[in-house]
Amino acid sequence: MMTRRAPALCKTLAVLAVLAGVRASAAEPVSLVAHYTITMTHVRVGELSWTANFSDATYLTSASGKASGVLSVLVKGEGSFTTRGAIASPLTPAVARSDINDDDGVYETEMTFENGVLKHVEDRGDAAPPERIPVAKKLLQDVSDPLSAMLVPAEQNAMAAANCKRTLKIYDGRRRYNLALSYKRVDKVKMTRGYAGPALVCGVVLQPIGGYKPDSLLVRYLAGKDDLEMWFAPIKGSTYMAPVKALMPTLVGTMEVSADEFFERRSEAAAQKPVEKPVEPAPATPPAASPTTPSEPAQPADVTTVPPAKPVEIAPLDPPKQ
């Protein structure tokens, strides 16, 4: 027999569930801003900037960088990469575009996904060198773009060893490779600006699959090695982590990609959200001079109606370029 307390308890739980849903949907958008330096044997050879914007249902992330110099033997060139997609675990890309100037020449790629499945690739500009290992279509199943893949889900404990136990299947429009991650340890990092705290250190094994030159120095020095590391830090206000450091020892020295800035910021819409003006009580009506003099009616309070803040939405995807 149900006691009188049971219906009250059920109602309480229902209210809490509703409130939880309201809080979840009202979460403010989160933006990550990061800057990295690329060094070879402690000599700076390049830099990289990365931003990631998360809303309730979509994300937009972009990166641009450049590496050059005598010591930049493993990575040379410059370029940018942008991806839009849907929030999921892992992230589900919709369109990924790149603009690259490297050993292949100057070219652009655009990848279109449907429900996270790669459907179409456009490659414009200088053709890829004929000596590159071809990429078979069957090897493009269940792949992600480089930026989406690097934003690793961490829904509970960001430093949990399980967050390293994954293989990132990546395709950048020309090159197909895997990054097999495994847990190594938890360390500490401190940025010049932004994050200071624990970092999840994952071992990384580069597994080249296709789209690369057989004599590539990057493949020759890094492929299959088990001493590569990638460090991840949580993005505050989200359930994802992003790299803050990558260490790649080679026979010619250690290449390091290290963040000196890694911080979150509120979106412009959230920062500019209007504040509702408090309601001020109407001034009291002075007492009547005589019983025959009618009192003045009280004036209504001056209430300013504040329009609801517009939710931040990712702009609709542009159609592929012809």
Side-chain angles (χ1 to χ4, degrees):
M1 179 177 179
M2 182 179 294
T3 65
R4 293 183 179 180
R5 293 184 179 181
L9 178 60
C10 293
K11 291 180 180 179
T12 302
L13 293 175
V15 171
L16 290 176
V18 171
L19 291 177
V22 170
R23 290 185 185 124
S25 63
E28 293 182 351
V30 178
S31 296
L32 168 69
V33 179
H35 180 268
Y36 305 79
T37 58
I38 306 172
T39 61
M40 190 71 182
T41 63
H42 304 290
V43 177
R44 181 167 174 165
V45 297
E47 62 180 338
L48 173 68
S49 297
W50 191 4
T51 61
N53 303 303
F54 301 92
S55 69
D56 287 342
T58 57
Y59 71 97
L60 170 64
T61 180
S62 61
S64 61
K66 180 179 181 180
S68 61
V70 177
L71 293 178
S72 182
V73 294
L74 297 184
V75 288
K76 287 185 179 181
E78 58 184 307
S80 61
F81 209 104
T82 300
T83 302
R84 303 179 186 217
I87 296 293
S89 182
L91 295 173
T92 304
V95 173
R97 299 185 178 100
S98 67
D99 187 353
I100 308 295
N101 183 353
D102 62 10
D103 291 339
D104 282 1
V106 180
Y107 58 95
E108 300 176 1
T109 64
E110 180 175 308
M111 298 185 290
T112 304
F113 298 78
E114 291 183 10
N115 298 321
V117 178
L118 182 63
K119 291 295 185 180
H120 182 69
V121 180
E122 289 190 22
D123 191 330
R124 299 178 291 270
D126 296 337
E131 64 269 23
R132 284 191 176 275
I133 304 297
V135 182
K137 288 185 178 180
K138 65 179 181 180
L139 299 176
L140 297 179
Q141 298 177 3
D142 194 26
V143 297
S144 183
D145 67 279
L147 297 187
S148 299
M150 292 296 179
L151 295 168
V152 175
E155 296 181 359
Q156 297 182 2
N157 180 12
M159 298 298 114
N163 291 328
C164 282
K165 297 178 181 179
R166 66 185 72 231
T167 296
L168 308 180
K169 300 178 180 180
I170 301 174
Y171 184 57
D172 64 7
R174 286 200 172 184
R175 300 168 185 84
R176 171 73 177 87
Y177 55 94
N178 289 345
L179 296 178
L181 307 185
S182 60
Y183 176 77
K184 294 195 75 172
R185 65 186 184 278
V186 173
D187 215 310
K188 293 183 179 181
V189 292
K190 184 177 181 180
M191 310 299 159
T192 304
R193 181 184 180 190
Y195 183 78
L200 180 66
V201 182
C202 304
V204 183
V205 177
L206 171 63
Q207 301 171 342
I209 293 178
Y212 61 91
K213 297 179 181 179
D215 59 350
S216 167
L217 292 179
L218 186 66
V219 172
R220 184 185 305 174
Y221 286 129
L222 298 182
K225 294 174 62 67
D226 60 2
D227 54 356
L228 280 63
E229 292 183 356
M230 190 171 293
W231 300 31
F232 292 90
I235 302 173
K236 186 178 179 180
S238 79
T239 57
Y240 298 92
M241 299 187 297
V244 291
K245 183 183 291 188
L247 297 174
M248 293 159 274
T250 73
L251 295 176
V252 295
T254 297
M255 184 169 72
E256 178 176 341
V257 182
S258 183
D260 52 11
E261 295 184 3
F262 189 94
F263 60 94
E264 301 78 23
R265 66 183 179 190
R266 298 173 60 195
S267 68
E268 293 182 2
Q272 297 175 1
K273 183 178 180 180
V275 179
E276 185 174 353
K277 185 177 180 180
V279 177
E280 297 180 0
T285 304
S290 65
T292 58
T293 304
S295 61
E296 295 291 334
Q299 299 296 318
D302 181 16
V303 180
T304 302
T305 303
V306 180
K310 295 182 179 180
V312 175
E313 296 183 356
I314 299 275
L317 300 176
D318 298 330
K321 300 179 182 178
Q322 299 298 324

